Amino acid sequence: MRAGKYAGLETELVSPPLRASLALYLGLLATTEVPADDLFVDAADLPQVLTATRLQQSPAEVPGSVSVLDRALIRASGARDLAELLRLVPGMLVVSDGNLTTVNYHGSNAAQARRLQVLVDGRSVYHPGFARVDWSDIPVAIEDIERIEVFRGPNTVSYGANALMAVINIITRLPHDTPGTRLKVTRGERGIADWYASQGEGWSSGDLRLSLSGWEDDGFDHDSEGRDARDDRRLNRLNLRVQQELDPSQSLDWQLALKEGTNQAPTSYERAAFPISFEPWEQDDEADVRARDYATSLRWNLERNPDHRLYVQGSLQHWERLREWRACEGQIAFSPQLYQLWSLSPRYVQLLGRNLRQGILTAPEGSAEQEALAGQVIGQVLATVDPATGTLAHSCGLINEDTRENRFDLELQDTISLSDGLRLVSGLSYRHDEGDSETHLGGTLDKDIGRAFGQFEWHLDRHWLLQGGAMLEHDSSAGESLSPRLALNYLFTPAHSLRAVYSEAVRSPDMFENDAQWSYRVRDLRPAALGRSEAWYFAHAQGSDDLEQEHIRSRELGYNGHFAELGLRLDVKLFDDKINDLISETLTLEEFMPTNDNSLHLRGAEGEADWQLSATDRLRLSYAYIQLDASHPKDERVSPRHSGSAAWLRDWGRDWSSSLIYYGADALNSYRFERLDLRLAKRLPLGSSQMELAGVLQQRLDDEPLGWSDNNYDERQVFWVTAELEF
């Protein structure tokens, strides 16, 4: 298999910078003797990961690359939100646009992060209607997280469409592990004001944890023109997790998550290319987004015997983004004839607007219908112009931009060991997605998704491990798809392996991309516009309803090793990913033309090392080198060629600890990014209780905007302190 499918891959991938990075890892392997004890390590004694195949596996057995951010690293990072933690993952790109954060793996359009599957304890939080993950709004407090597993590569075979590039699985702490009371307060510059409180209780056959938390800051200071940025964020969360043992072989796991908050954000209402109003249009500056979400899930676990177990999980989720605001525009913008003319040809409307700005009061050349409508619009313009000032009459009205999304998901999974060397996981799932938005979807849309999946893990002998699987998925809007994966691992020992992986994956267009009915109904117009108190804004867009799924074909060669006596873990991979039928266009009212005409070819290498140097020192390094060929310029510009992080965690003794972390990318959406984070903490015993005081300083080492030109701070550093009490 390697001689055929992977022939020529090394020559194709390895450029001079890449060879230098590989030489560092290979040199370490060549000069480091594998301790004799490693030859006898049992795989069961190694750390286990779950996200790759839905099977518990040691890192050396995984058919791909998995980054694990454990609780100690999460705490030492000092991060306040989930997206910041992902800067520690090689190849993961984090870009903010005001208070909206997008996370991409290996790139593609920075404004449209559509290609990651994000899970919280196995429940997808990827929005069904608008292909997004609201990172700051995920109703999980960082303090409740046990670890984050990131499968870096396509994994539709395990989690269905949208796991096109990577899977991020956020795993929360078990209630059994969090007894007692925890209180935490964070205060700092830029309006940082966070808090957290939890209570854990247990009884003879179960445990629960209830946590409440809040998060707040003022966002960026100013935009590219020096104006104050309106991107404050505020949210409150409630999380409840209950585990109940029914008998020695059965248990229930129930979770409930609630979140409410407000986000300051610009409206999506933009003045289209018909600028015949001689005064700038206005809108309500207090149009904050009110966010209200809830999610609940119930899992029944059955262990028939040590070699056979299954579960059934059902979940319900609801996302609400509510906003009504008042906008003002020239009355001609609410003309039914102009709306109809836009439906025929937005470009013709643009040409008409240009003529009117130049004082040309004749219809541009076009079809008879276009010229007739243009004549009526010109008459309406003349009727609404103030002859004394030459300005158009304006009207102001209310715009509703509410969106609601719902999901019901039911899944059955069966895991069985058929022999000492063969394991199988299989399952079925059904999901119903619904999106509701008068402005963006023209009402309510829904779709149904059915899945059947299966994967096997076959130890051919003590060294060779063959793995394969497929996901068959039927999407009522996108049709059927089959996503396969095949991997071969050579295990030098249970802790060291080489792997070769081939996989395919898909992403289905979301409701907005494929079926948008994007138009603004303006109510309560004052004064009435062209005799109407309610009208449609003339610019609008409609989805084509014929988009196809995006497809990726991925090849990977990698090494994973655990040098137990050195306390060193390594993972290195070469990758070659080709994405076809890519939807890359940024969707606006003026140019709403998503297509499958784009492609993306990603090649490169990445790796990470986690080294417990001693009982007091831990060093963690990550690096990614990416070569990118894209047919669309918005995909081309986002990916840095070089990016990575370096972290040093130290326990100084006497309950003092520190962490120093460097993050860098040579071009994060065309802007260089470098930052140094320092955290210093002191634990104070208070009788049977413990208090920790910590300070975090973030220092930007560059002087550029963060991802977008409007994201600017007045100062390059920010400082905050936390106080946490456990009793």
Side-chain angles (χ1 to χ4, degrees):
M1 182 182 71
R2 288 186 297 175
K5 187 175 292 295
Y6 294 98
L9 178 61
E10 181 180 356
T11 302
E12 183 181 8
L13 289 177
V14 182
S15 63
L18 184 52
R19 282 196 294 269
S21 62
L22 289 176
L24 174 64
Y25 289 104
L26 296 178
L28 179 60
L29 292 175
T31 57
T32 303
E33 181 180 355
V34 178
D37 287 349
D38 270 8
L39 299 176
F40 305 100
V41 171
D42 189 283
D45 296 329
L46 297 171
Q48 303 287 294
V49 295
L50 179 65
T51 303
T53 63
R54 296 174 175 250
L55 291 167
Q56 291 268 356
Q57 296 177 302
S58 70
E61 296 172 330
V62 170
S65 297
V66 177
S67 295
V68 178
L69 308 181
D70 57 58
R71 188 156 56 93
L73 181 62
I74 292 171
R75 187 181 188 89
S77 73
R80 298 176 51 244
D81 63 70
L82 289 167
E84 282 295 311
L85 290 170
L86 297 174
R87 296 188 189 276
L88 293 162
V89 178
M92 201 64 72
L93 312 175
V94 181
V95 181
S96 296
D97 185 8
N99 56 30
L100 302 176
T101 300
T102 58
V103 178
N104 283 287
Y105 179 64
H106 284 174
S108 72
N109 191 337
Q112 310 291 338
R114 306 175 173 124
R115 301 176 180 95
L116 294 179
Q117 181 60 275
V118 181
L119 310 169
V120 175
D121 292 326
R123 170 177 52 83
S124 172
V125 295
Y126 184 95
H127 288 216
F130 298 92
R132 67 189 178 201
V133 175
D134 286 342
W135 286 97
S136 63
D137 283 342
I138 294 177
V140 176
I142 283 184
E143 292 79 6
D144 287 338
I145 296 174
E146 177 65 25
R147 68 185 188 277
I148 300 174
E149 295 183 0
V150 182
F151 184 87
R152 307 189 327 266
N155 207 354
T156 296
V157 63
S158 295
Y159 299 102
N162 300 326
L164 188 82
M165 301 288 285
V167 176
I168 300 169
N169 192 9
I170 301 162
I171 301 170
T172 62
R173 303 184 69 185
L174 299 175
H176 176 75
D177 298 331
T178 55
T181 304
R182 297 175 65 198
L183 303 173
K184 183 178 179 180
V185 177
T186 301
R187 292 292 184 272
E189 300 172 315
R190 298 177 184 162
I192 293 173
D194 307 339
W195 60 273
Y196 171 84
S198 74
Q199 180 66 41
E201 298 289 346
W203 53 94
S204 60
S205 59
D207 300 273
L208 71 78
R209 179 186 63 248
L210 174 66
S211 65
L212 304 171
S213 57
W215 197 90
E216 184 175 348
D217 68 28
D218 292 342
F220 293 100
D221 293 320
H222 62 88
D223 63 17
S224 58
E225 299 181 4
R227 296 172 300 197
D228 289 342
R230 290 196 71 260
D231 56 1
D232 295 2
R233 292 176 285 185
R234 181 196 63 80
L235 63 89
N236 296 302
R237 297 169 292 219
L238 178 149
N239 292 90
L240 175 64
R241 184 170 184 181
V242 181
Q243 291 186 305
Q244 175 68 48
E245 184 178 297
L246 302 177
D247 60 40
S249 64
Q250 299 183 75
S251 64
L252 293 176
D253 188 342
W254 176 52
Q255 297 192 44
L256 173 68
L258 307 174
K259 193 226 70 179
E260 69 83 25
T262 58
N263 299 323
Q264 294 180 342
T267 64
S268 60
Y269 176 91
E270 296 181 0
R271 190 177 176 202
F274 192 68
I276 58 174
S277 173
F278 303 115
E279 294 180 357
W281 64 281
E282 301 174 358
Q283 66 182 38
D284 189 349
D285 284 337
E286 302 301 321
D288 296 344
V289 178
R290 291 176 292 129
R292 299 190 302 196
D293 303 339
Y294 71 78
T296 185
S297 65
L298 178 64
R299 176 183 289 201
W300 171 62
N301 302 288
L302 172 64
E303 185 170 344
R304 302 187 64 182
N305 58 59
D307 295 326
H308 190 192
R309 59 187 180 275
L310 61 85
Y311 73 75
V312 178
Q313 176 171 295
S315 65
L316 287 170
Q317 295 183 83
H318 176 78
W319 297 271
E320 268 188 1
R321 300 294 178 269
L322 307 177
R323 175 160 59 171
E324 186 175 68
W325 41 280
R326 183 168 291 275
C328 301
E329 179 61 280
Q331 292 185 2
I332 190 60
F334 308 113
S335 162
Q337 290 75 25
L338 188 58
Y339 182 98
Q340 185 178 353
L341 192 59
W342 180 274
S343 298
L344 295 174
S345 173
R347 292 192 179 277
Y348 187 88
V349 173
Q350 294 169 11
L351 180 59
L352 174 61
R354 185 174 62 186
N355 285 355
L356 290 171
R357 288 198 311 274
Q358 296 173 355
I360 301 174
L361 300 179
T362 58
E365 183 177 351
S367 69
E369 184 179 10
Q370 288 173 334
E371 291 183 8
L373 288 169
Q376 296 179 59
V377 170
I378 292 170
Q380 292 168 341
V381 169
L382 295 175
T384 57
V385 169
D386 185 337
T389 61
T391 60
L392 285 172
H394 282 62
S395 291
C396 299
L398 291 175
I399 292 177
N400 181 294
E401 208 172 17
D402 295 352
T403 64
R404 294 175 175 86
E405 298 168 88
N406 299 289
R407 169 175 293 154
F408 168 72
D409 202 343
L410 181 64
E411 182 174 86
L412 165 68
Q413 177 177 307
D414 182 82
T415 305
I416 187 170
S417 296
L418 299 176
S419 67
D420 288 343
L422 180 61
R423 290 196 297 168
L424 176 67
V425 59
S426 59
L428 299 169
S429 73
Y430 165 76
R431 197 175 86 194
H432 178 77
D433 288 342
E434 184 178 283
D436 181 14
S437 172
E438 178 190 67
T439 296
H440 298 289
L441 301 177
T444 301
L445 297 176
D446 60 29
K447 66 178 180 178
D448 298 284
I449 301 170
R451 295 170 176 160
F453 58 89
Q455 297 187 70
F456 69 87
E457 177 195 77
W458 187 11
H459 285 267
L460 303 175
D461 59 30
R462 62 180 297 184
H463 293 296
W464 291 100
L465 173 61
L466 180 65
Q467 299 178 77
M471 168 79 77
L472 177 63
E473 188 169 31
H474 176 77
D475 186 318
S476 61
S477 65
E480 291 187 352
S481 60
L482 180 67
S483 302
R485 178 169 63 201
L486 187 65
L488 184 65
N489 292 41
Y490 180 77
L491 301 166
F492 299 101
T493 76
H496 298 269
S497 72
L498 294 174
R499 64 180 179 271
V501 186
Y502 174 78
S503 61
E504 297 181 11
V506 299
R507 184 189 76 88
S508 299
D510 68 76
M511 296 176 184
F512 182 64
E513 289 171 305
N514 204 37
D515 301 299
Q517 296 288 339
W518 189 1
S519 57
Y520 291 97
R521 174 181 287 182
V522 186
R523 298 177 173 86
D524 192 30
L525 280 167
R526 301 180 186 178
L530 304 176
R532 296 170 177 265
S533 60
E534 180 178 307
W536 292 94
Y537 182 61
F538 77 94
H540 56 283
Q542 182 172 344
S544 61
D545 192 30
D546 62 358
L547 291 175
E548 299 178 354
Q549 291 178 318
E550 300 175 340
H551 294 81
I552 186 172
R553 290 177 172 84
S554 175
R555 297 173 291 170
E556 176 181 326
L557 297 174
Y559 162 80
N560 184 278
H562 177 200
F563 299 86
E565 293 205 351
L566 295 177
L568 175 63
R569 306 177 194 275
L570 288 175
D571 187 86
V572 188
K573 79 168 185 176
L574 301 173
F575 59 88
D576 186 295
D577 297 339
K578 294 181 179 179
I579 311 177
N580 296 313
D581 303 318
L582 193 66
I583 304 169
S584 298
E585 295 82 5
T586 299
L587 306 180
T588 66
L589 274 177
E590 287 189 56
E591 296 186 9
F592 194 94
M593 294 182 292
T595 71
N596 291 110
D597 297 341
N598 306 291
S599 62
L600 188 62
H601 189 189
L602 296 155
R603 295 166 294 162
E606 63 187 34
E608 59 183 1
D610 199 324
W611 194 353
Q612 191 70 48
L613 294 163
S614 66
T616 59
D617 291 281
R618 178 182 176 185
L619 182 65
R620 191 179 188 280
L621 305 173
S622 70
Y623 172 72
Y625 172 80
I626 302 172
Q627 292 179 339
L628 182 147
D629 297 312
S631 62
H632 196 284
K634 289 188 181 296
D635 291 324
E636 186 77 47
R637 65 179 293 187
V638 64
S639 297
R641 179 152 291 196
H642 304 276
S643 62
S645 65
W648 172 39
L649 283 59
R650 179 170 176 79
D651 184 345
W652 296 92
R654 297 189 177 183
D655 293 320
W656 283 94
S657 62
S658 68
S659 61
L660 185 65
I661 306 178
Y662 167 83
Y663 304 96
D666 59 351
L668 194 61
N669 198 27
S670 301
Y671 295 104
R672 184 171 61 91
F673 173 74
E674 288 187 276
R675 197 181 77 200
L676 195 63
D677 291 5
L678 172 64
R679 180 179 186 269
L680 184 63
K682 167 69 173 177
R683 292 190 70 85
L684 303 169
L686 301 174
S688 60
S689 305
Q690 287 277 341
M691 173 175 279
E692 182 183 77
L693 302 177
V696 177
L697 174 66
Q698 288 185 346
Q699 176 67 53
R700 287 288 295 275
L701 304 179
D702 62 83
D703 56 359
E704 301 192 26
L706 183 57
W708 299 95
S709 61
D710 285 336
N711 297 338
N712 300 279
Y713 290 117
D714 294 334
E715 302 291 339
R716 290 194 297 167
Q717 71 279 331
V718 61
F719 177 73
W720 67 84
V721 295
T722 66
E724 182 173 359
L725 179 64
E726 298 182 28
F727 57 93

